[in-house]
Amino acid sequence: MAWKEWSQLSEERRYLVDQALAYMDAKYDEKAKLIGDSEEHGKHGTRGSGHYALGLLLRSEPGDIERACEVLHKIIDLQFDAPDEIYHGTFKSALESIDPPAGNYPWKSLGQGHAYFLAQTVEKITERLVSGIEGEQAKKEWADRLVTAVDEVLPPVWKSYDPNWREFISCIFAVILEHFADKLPQQLLERMEQSMIKAVTGSIERRLSDVVPMNSNIELMHAFITHYYGTRLQRSDWLEHADREAEKLHARYAEFGSLSEFNTTTYYGVDLTVLGLWRQYGKTAAFKQLGHAMEKGLWANIADFYNPYIENLSGPFARAYEMEMTAHSSLGVMLYLALGKGYEHFTAINCETEHDIMIALVGVDVPEELLLQLAEHQRDRLVEQPFRELCERDQPGANTNLCTARAWIEKELMMGAMSGSKNTNGQLHPATIHWKTADGHKYDLRLIRREVGKHWNTHLRGVYYEAAVNERELEVEVQCSAAVDIEFYFEITGQGVDARGIAANRWTLPGLTLEVEAEAPAPVVQAFGNRLEIIYLVQAKKSSATPAAPATMKFLLSRV
């Protein structure tokens, strides 16, 4: 064990380290020199393997340091070294990932934020191509062929490379270099520093070009790595850039006391981890002070929307994968460190568990005055918080809309509503309900959408929501002018939910009955075990003569 670091860890932090290492030990592949990916079965992930190397160095039992060195060498082997390409300096997300196309995209000469216009152009070309083709299936096949052809020439972000792996892996390397540089061979140290030159260079080029916009969790990492490696590698230009970025990020936060990825359990976990890096490894007082202000404010946002009886954040969510706080997030781990023994269930294994080593090292800094609010329900309340979202696939300069998140929170129930958002991301959850029954069972409801036959977690243009909430009602208006057929559906999850309880004007659920007023097509109800979908289909207008008015649906859900 690395006794200096280990001795500084509380019992709760050691619990996290032991649990995460046991989880990752079981996933390690000796041949690949990487651990199995948490989300893609059959692949070996680089980010998770970086966290594993950090944990091995902290544990430092026989063979651990040697294994960590092999893992780190393998990760560096999987970094893209292509200075003219948009993916320069990032890492393959997995050993099995194929190389993106090269040599066809002079992206540095095309102007700031040009990717939005490039994507729009491809969409228009696709529409023109299929407009003369008979039959919906044939139209879809030709559209798919065109997109595939474009992706084989121009490297598609998120499909062929993940630019965020620069920031994630650079943060891991920073913690390793800060704590364990003396345990690593000189050759590996030199390789790590050369790797970080590529990663930080690519990160800065991305930031300045705004070709792939950065959400707030990536912005926080970007500012940290340019600051940290600017100091370590004596790059004054990086340090100046880091100071500018940190000040701009803080100024945007200070406008309303909120980040753009507002009220999102997954990204709050990342935000708090990275602000911990600012706090622990920041090299100037000014940098640390900016981070402290945001970390303190973020905990205040969390406390406002958190229900300690239901043990969850209330919606609405600017971005979310799950409705359960511990399902795709490190936020439960953060609350465990804040509240201590008795909250071990918040640390249940999930796809973010690999991050727990870093979280254990940086800890949490929760304002003392918020601890009681996080531990016990204090009062029923209506909460309202404005924030500026980032619509990452909208026109630069017009992609930061003013939104308002509202929630009614009482001990056994909470409802959330979003207004003002223009986000195309399916992770937006504009209308939500969580409740807990007298026998302790938890339930949730969310409104999401999907193109017919596809998953909800995609980008779709032409879908907008306006929602409002009070202590009795949740009201939502949906506008849809999408070019494809869309299913909007209320997904209800929990033990014993029954499709037989869903009638036209009343939804009878365990522990909650809702009167429903709907100006919408008749729904279809589907049951999948302990999950229901109440589906409203909006069909795309087929006429192309003039732009059609958006289809509008309205829902009023009232507690009985």
Side-chain angles (χ1 to χ4, degrees), residues 10 80 142 161 191 212 406 420 463 479:
S10 66
F80 294 113
W142 276 100
Y161 71 98
R191 286 198 78 197
V212 183
R406 296 179 178 87
V463 175
Q479 291 195 353

Side-chain angles (χ1 to χ4, degrees), residues 292-314:
H292 175 72
M294 290 187 282
E295 187 176 16
K296 180 179 179 181
L298 183 52
W299 275 112
N301 291 154
I302 291 168
D304 279 346
F305 282 79
Y306 181 68
N307 183 321
Y309 179 71
I310 298 178
E311 296 185 333
N312 213 340
L313 275 187
S314 173

Side-chain angles (χ1 to χ4, degrees), residues 176-192:
I176 289 173
L177 291 169
E178 187 73 13
H179 286 285
F180 305 114
D182 60 342
K183 295 179 180 291
L184 303 178
Q186 186 62 32
Q187 181 199 17
L188 178 54
L189 285 173
E190 291 173 359
R191 286 198 78 197
M192 290 177 72

Side-chain angles (χ1 to χ4, degrees), residues 499-509 512-517 534 557-560:
R500 291 172 294 181
I502 306 302
N505 300 315
R506 178 179 287 240
W507 299 348
T508 304
L509 305 163
L512 178 67
T513 299
L514 297 170
E515 294 284 0
V516 180
E517 297 178 28
I534 306 171
L557 310 183
S558 304
R559 298 163 59 189
V560 174

